Amino acid sequence: MPETLPEVLISEEQIKAKVDELARRISADYREVDDLILVGVLKGSFIFLADLARRLTIPRSVDFMALSTYGDSTTTDGAVRMILDLRRNISGKHVLVVEDIVDTGHTLAYLVRALAARQPASLKTCALVQKPDRREVYAQIDYLGFEIPDVWVVGCGLDWAEKFRTLPYIGVVHPEG
Ligand code: IMP
Ligand code: MG
């Protein structure tokens, strides 16, 4: 079956400008910090994290976690499970969690709880997009790219059944056809 490209919701140019702006804000806020640990959440954050990390002007390092939510691909029941942990001990370190998307908020809330328990010097969060209408639990986003309506988006790391992750823009898919 031929694949039609998802319609554009946020263009490549808009994303680039936003990543630049976020990188400037983060670099300014952490200018006194000598090692900011960016914690990317696999797989979705890998492209946003790579773009953001390369634009920061402060010393930084990168580590990853992978989480899984039980249930099917387009719904989240709130049960989050860690399937890959950080390599580094973050105790006493400055940590910035980098997420692709915040939907119900369960994933980010879980992450913040899990990482805060390790007593980092500071812990903040960054997300490329969020869907405010879908929020079920509170999760603070300190650096946010875009707010979007309740649609399924792909591109920039975001997938629909593993498809479209490497699309350079954020597009909308309509799973019902
Ligand atoms: P949460 O509901 O905030 O816990 O988000 C759970 C995860 O669902 C996110 O990290 C994404 O991997 C995925 N997700 C939620 N909405 C979308 C979307 O529109 N496109 C692709 N992935 C999504
Ligand atoms: Mg994610």
Side-chain angles (χ1 to χ4, degrees), residues 34-51:
D34 61 10
D35 180 19
L36 175 64
I37 304 180
L38 303 169
V39 170
V41 185
L42 294 170
K43 300 181 209 175
S45 74
F46 82 113
I47 289 180
F48 175 46
L49 175 64
D51 287 346

Side-chain angles (χ1 to χ4, degrees), residues 72-120:
D72 67 61
S73 60
T74 57
T75 60
T76 306
D77 66 2
V80 181
R81 173 171 64 115
M82 191 184 302
I83 52 179
L84 175 76
D85 202 351
L86 298 175
R87 293 209 174 196
R88 288 184 67 184
N89 180 357
I90 58 166
S91 166
K93 300 289 183 182
H94 294 273
V95 174
L96 179 63
V97 173
V98 180
E99 259 286 33
D100 50 355
I101 188 165
V102 181
D103 182 30
T104 64
H106 286 289
T107 305
L108 190 59
Y110 169 90
L111 269 168
V112 166
R113 258 197 325 275
L115 296 178
R118 303 177 189 184
Q119 297 177 307

Side-chain angles (χ1 to χ4, degrees), residues 1-148:
M1 195 174 71
E3 217 160 64
T4 53
L5 281 177
E7 74 184 81
V8 178
L9 183 66
I10 306 170
S11 72
E12 193 174 353
E13 291 70 31
Q14 285 175 289
I15 294 166
K16 203 170 172 304
K18 187 63 78 176
V19 173
D20 282 343
E21 178 197 318
L22 291 172
R24 273 197 304 275
R25 279 178 52 202
I26 294 166
S27 297
D29 292 352
Y30 289 92
R31 64 189 172 278
E32 312 277 300
V33 169
D34 61 10
D35 180 19
L36 175 64
I37 304 180
L38 303 169
V39 170
V41 185
L42 294 170
K43 300 181 209 175
S45 74
F46 82 113
I47 289 180
F48 175 46
L49 175 64
D51 287 346
L52 185 69
R54 286 178 295 175
R55 285 176 176 78
L56 295 176
T57 55
I58 49 166
R60 69 279 189 187
S61 53
V62 172
D63 206 343
F64 287 101
M65 292 178 97
L67 304 176
S68 180
T69 43
Y70 296 99
D72 67 61
S73 60
T74 57
T75 60
T76 306
D77 66 2
V80 181
R81 173 171 64 115
M82 191 184 302
I83 52 179
L84 175 76
D85 202 351
L86 298 175
R87 293 209 174 196
R88 288 184 67 184
N89 180 357
I90 58 166
S91 166
K93 300 289 183 182
H94 294 273
V95 174
L96 179 63
V97 173
V98 180
E99 259 286 33
D100 50 355
I101 188 165
V102 181
D103 182 30
T104 64
H106 286 289
T107 305
L108 190 59
Y110 169 90
L111 269 168
V112 166
R113 258 197 325 275
L115 296 178
R118 303 177 189 184
Q119 297 177 307
S122 73
L123 178 60
K124 290 213 268 184
T125 61
C126 176
L128 181 58
V129 290
Q130 78 145 332
K131 296 179 193 172
D133 300 344
R134 294 259 311 158
R135 193 58 43 84
E136 289 173 10
V137 294
Y138 176 75
Q140 179 163 320
I141 307 173
D142 297 292
Y143 303 97
L144 174 66
F146 303 95
E147 291 200 337
I148 60 168

